[in-house]
Amino acid sequence: MQDKKYRLKDIQEKIDRDKTTLIRWEKEGLIPEAKRDSRGWRYYNQNEVSSIINLVLSSDYFRNIHSRSTI
């Protein structure tokens, strides 16, 4: 049986962030790097999705990153 593949869209709906934010976090090493299908599209397995969602929802860094102001 093949594991279900989850796309960025599936994650962004759960955490209310744009896919470009998720891609940036991936490049910065804050979330795991996605696997790629034959078209080059990113995908994750269920464990990776759960881990990313829990990390984002429980971390002050992800919650406050955009609320910081520069003077």
Side-chain angles (χ1 to χ4, degrees):
M1 183 176 178
Q2 188 177 15
D3 291 332
K4 182 174 178 178
K5 295 178 182 178
Y6 296 87
R7 300 175 296 156
L8 286 175
K9 179 180 178 180
D10 300 317
I11 299 172
Q12 75 183 60
E13 291 172 351
K14 301 269 188 202
I15 62 171
D16 193 30
R17 300 295 194 283
D18 190 74
K19 74 176 188 174
T20 57
T21 300
L22 291 165
I23 293 168
R24 186 182 75 244
W25 288 346
E26 181 183 310
K27 288 179 182 177
E28 293 174 355
L30 299 172
I31 62 173
E33 187 174 335
K35 295 172 203 67
R36 302 289 185 125
D37 66 13
S38 60
R39 299 167 292 192
W41 293 10
R42 288 173 167 82
Y43 73 90
Y44 302 88
N45 65 34
Q46 176 63 48
N47 290 336
E48 293 165 330
V49 170
S50 295
S51 175
I52 291 168
I53 290 170
N54 289 334
L55 177 65
V56 171
L57 295 179
S58 67
S59 172
D60 283 340
Y61 174 80
F62 291 102
R63 186 176 14 245
N64 295 325
I65 191 166
H66 296 294
S67 64
R68 299 176 186 151
S69 62
T70 55
I71 302 174

